[in-house]
Amino acid sequence: MQSNEVKKNQSAGAGTFKQTLRLYKYVKPFWIEFTIGMVLLLASSISSLFIPDLLGKLVDSGQKMRLTPEINRLGFILVAVLIGQGICSFFRVIFFVNVTEKTLSSLRQHIYNHLIQLPMKFFLTRRVGELNSRISADISLLQETFTTTIAEFIRNLIVLAGGFVLLLTTSAKLTFFMLMLLPVILVVAFVFGKYIRKFSKAAQDRVAEANTILEETLQGILNVKAFANEFFEMRRYGKKINEAAEIGMKSGIYRGAFLSFLMLCIFGAMVAVIWKGSLLIASGEMQSAGELVSFVIYSAFIGGAVTELAEVYSNLQKSIGATENLLEILEEPAEELTAPAAIAPEHELNGLITFENISFHYPSRSDVSVLKDISFSVEANQKVALVGPSGAGKSTIVSLLLRFYDPVNGAISFDGRDGRDFPYSVLRNQMAVVLQDVFLFGSSIRDNIAYGKPGATEEEIIYAAKQANAWEFIQNFPEGMDTMVGDRGVQLSGGQRQRIAIARAVLKNPRILILDEATSALDAESEKLVQDALDKLMEGRTSIIIAHRLATVREADKIVVLDDGYVVEEGTHHELLTVDGGIYRNLSTMQFTN
Ligand SMILES: Nc1ncnc2c1ncn2[C@@H]1O[C@H](COP(=O)(O)OP(=O)(O)OP(=O)(O)O)[C@@H](O)[C@H]1O
């Protein structure tokens, strides 16, 4: 957290724009299209600079009673320039849009890949809704920047620079008027830009917070309704979006003031230029009305360019903000993962697990010690149960086993080797977890089972479903394996979801199986089916079972009793029952009397 703050402060400084340029590495693969787009942009911008000059000449040739063919020739050249400009702009947009789409899809993929590989501790401190909305809002901002803002920026710079050169050649005296205004506008643009950027970042933050509420309440709609908290949530959401709107409106004041100031400058300059120009013509210092026409149109071009540059500048500021957010995510260190196919023979697990003097606290709460010098071992193919009061640290042990976190002290070893010597995915690929709260994806039953082994054949999936006692209910659905399970599996019962999770684990065929309260939410009949499936699943593998209800762990080869982060008892069911005043004995007496 602290290093994040430091990074943030640094990035707000001079390095920011440089950092933003780092995004260009995503554009690099498409540099040919990008260059063609740029050339077309240059061509259309430069050609637009000829228009005022040609228009001036056209006016002059009419005034000086030239021959009609000459006037028409000038007219046709103008039309040709316009058509050429139109064609260049058309293809420029197409090339830029192509580059943008490809760049953003690779950036999106890159961010997704990175995000999904970030360690659990990253997600402990972030809310999913906020991350989600941040990323999508930031990416659409960048989309706008890549397709329009950058092109506008360059086009306006060319018009500004070219326009000035041409103004100077037309009338140096008049140009002086324009130049006087420029420094004022630049200073004002800088100051306003800073404010606008501050406000737009704050507004983006509020919108992200509002989206978090939206996402969380939709995900937890059942709870919202059950607690009749609709009005509470409406107010909570309303508060955030009102805050966003207020900040947006405040920034609107700055934008409005800025824009009207610019308009004043521009139109003021036009009036001054025409005024002065007329005086110059009268005194013979300026050649013709045509020259004044060119001058005025160049001035308008320049004025337009300055206004647009100001808008473009504030857009660029916004996208710098968006880039900062995205880069911050990309800079988070990710876990090192390897492709599933690549489990080397020396990394294949046999199933012996040893916990040696493990101490642990969660990164988000470093002052609360959760596991305190824990040691125990699980032989290969043994069933070991973890029991103990709520909050004792059972689920934390599972998280450490899966290497969601590393112990603060001590080591977990697999077949005698420190877990940290294995790549993350190699370990996790050889374990399967069945939790009480099964998470199913909102697709078909088949897809959900196959999640245990992507690319599994239909036979393998059906075999897994049979082993998990799930085949019968699946067959009873009119659409069988293709039955959609609804968002997070809401269209299935708890027991059915559980058995799908077991089928997943069967398909994965892990060396180590972890069951966390897997049967506690079920009725007797469902529990029997699930327990039966679990018994089959546990055969021939190392199993770690967390259970509150001791009836389910009587048969375990070993029971480890945890209390307040310590291992307090260890032994078989019968051994532990003989411990006078023991926690297990007490729990057992309580449960069996009930
Ligand atoms: N992500 C987390 N961040 C900070 N503290 C946590 C986190 N998860 C759990 N804890 C804390 O760690 C302690 C142990 O929690 P754990 O979930 O391991 O207990 P448990 O024995 O599995 O409990 P239960 O039987 O209720 O599931 C608790 O005090 C809990 O508040």
Side-chain angles (χ1 to χ4, degrees), residues 292-339:
L292 185 57
V293 167
S294 307
F295 196 95
V296 169
I297 301 177
Y298 277 128
S299 309
F301 268 33
I302 290 172
V306 172
T307 323
E308 281 189 35
L309 273 178
E311 185 73 25
V312 165
Y313 181 72
S314 91
N315 279 349
L316 278 180
Q317 295 286 338
K318 276 201 238 166
S319 52
I320 288 175
T323 315
E324 270 173 27
N325 289 335
L326 294 177
L327 287 177
E328 208 179 285
I329 293 178
L330 285 176
E331 275 163 12
E332 290 282 339
E335 289 180 341
E336 218 176 286
L337 302 182
T338 46

Side-chain angles (χ1 to χ4, degrees), residues 124 362 364-365 370 389-396 405 517 548:
L124 281 184
Y362 280 93
S364 52
R365 233 184 266 161
V370 175
S390 178
K394 304 179 294 288
S395 304
T396 305
Y405 312 98
E517 305 276 356
H548 275 146

